[in-house]
Amino acid sequence: MVAPSLLSADFGNLESEMQWVNASHAEWLHLDVMDGVFVPNISFGFPVLKHVARLCTKPLDVHLMVVQPEKFIQQVAELGAFLMSVHYEACTHLNRVIAQIHEAGMKAGVVLNPSTPVCMLEDVVCDVDVVMLMSVNPGFGGQRFIPSTMSKLARLRRLLDESGSHALVEVDGGVTLDNASMLRKAGVDMLVAGSCVFSAPSPVEACNQLASL
Ligand code: DX5
Ligand code: ZN
């Protein structure tokens, strides 16, 4: 399954970008919110997200790269998002934040930066619906995949199996047509793909090709 990331879209042509996404085999639309504090970049905020939510027929996967993401749970729920993912590194009280996301009627995802080990999730994997590994340092599209993500994925798979968690595994950053099969074999359920899809000669074909792997 694949979730194209809006970060690499042409923001001057959101209607046509959403038209191809709606017609594609994409499972979700991935939305990256950045605050310039948790990550060294700023992306888009709720006015843009509301516009996109109106245009997009795919389920919305909202990835918050912000400090204190719990402040925005209500606004993300009001967008109609089905999944809100927060960073382990941004939540002092992660267990509470996960419960609050569920109370707001959404699925909850937890995200790990490349330098955060999988073992930090031992006590939450049974409470979350998605575990997402960053395979680049978050903040920018178009970066190169960090190879050590592969051994981390093996450790995550083991942790999920041993704890009986049914969380989906998502990988975000540097996904390409060249590494997608390897990621699938490593047990990745959802591939987030930004630049590799949006900069392709035919984004819809690139997206469908990733979805078929
Ligand atoms: C990076 C974002 C990603 C980004 C991925 O901080 O979280 O979702 O859009 O872009 P690519 O696929 O170009 O690495
Ligand atoms: Zn993302």
Side-chain angles (χ1 to χ4, degrees):
M1 298 189 284
V2 61
S5 170
L6 187 79
L7 192 63
S8 295
D10 177 353
F11 287 88
N13 289 298
L14 280 179
E15 299 212 359
S16 59
E17 296 282 42
M18 287 307 105
Q19 269 169 16
W20 79 251
V21 169
N22 292 343
S24 74
H25 297 157
E27 199 70 20
W28 305 340
L29 177 68
H30 185 85
L31 299 165
D32 289 306
V33 180
M34 304 180 187
D35 65 353
V37 179
F38 182 70
V39 289
N41 198 10
I42 291 176
S43 55
F44 38 76
F46 287 100
V48 174
L49 289 169
K50 279 184 193 155
H51 182 60
V52 170
R54 274 195 300 270
L55 296 171
C56 185
T57 57
K58 301 284 181 181
L60 305 179
D61 157 20
V62 182
H63 174 196
L64 288 183
M65 283 162 275
V66 305
V67 296
Q68 299 183 311
E70 64 275 10
K71 283 185 182 169
F72 304 103
I73 293 172
Q74 219 38 58
Q75 283 181 85
V76 174
E78 280 163 18
L79 283 176
F82 91 105
L83 168 65
M84 172 168 166
S85 294
V86 297
H87 274 256
Y88 165 82
E89 303 85 0
C91 298
T92 308
H93 302 290
L94 182 59
N95 180 283
R96 177 186 291 145
V97 178
I98 291 164
Q100 288 171 334
I101 294 172
H102 284 148
E103 279 160 23
M106 295 180 286
K107 302 276 186 205
V110 63
V111 191
L112 292 185
N113 279 338
S115 61
T116 307
V118 157
C119 62
M120 302 313 279
L121 296 183
E122 266 176 28
D123 293 303
V124 292
V125 277
C126 289
D127 299 324
V128 292
D129 305 288
V130 171
V131 176
M132 186 161 85
L133 297 187
M134 290 309 304
S135 36
V136 298
N137 285 292
F140 304 92
Q143 302 182 80
R144 201 168 298 157
F145 183 83
I146 296 175
S148 59
T149 309
M150 298 314 295
S151 58
K152 200 166 172 180
L153 274 169
R155 274 177 277 133
L156 174 59
R157 203 59 272 166
R158 213 172 309 133
L159 172 62
L160 294 178
D161 293 344
E162 282 171 9
S163 55
S165 165
H166 299 297
L168 290 181
V169 175
E170 190 170 12
V171 163
D172 187 8
V175 172
T176 64
L177 284 164
D178 293 329
N179 61 22
S181 303
M182 169 179 85
L183 289 166
R184 285 257 179 272
K185 286 189 195 115
V188 176
D189 300 295
M190 186 62 64
L191 297 166
V192 175
S195 50
C196 121
V197 160
F198 283 90
S199 65
S202 167
V204 69
E205 274 176 31
C207 178
N208 290 349
Q209 212 175 327
L210 276 177
S212 70
L213 291 173

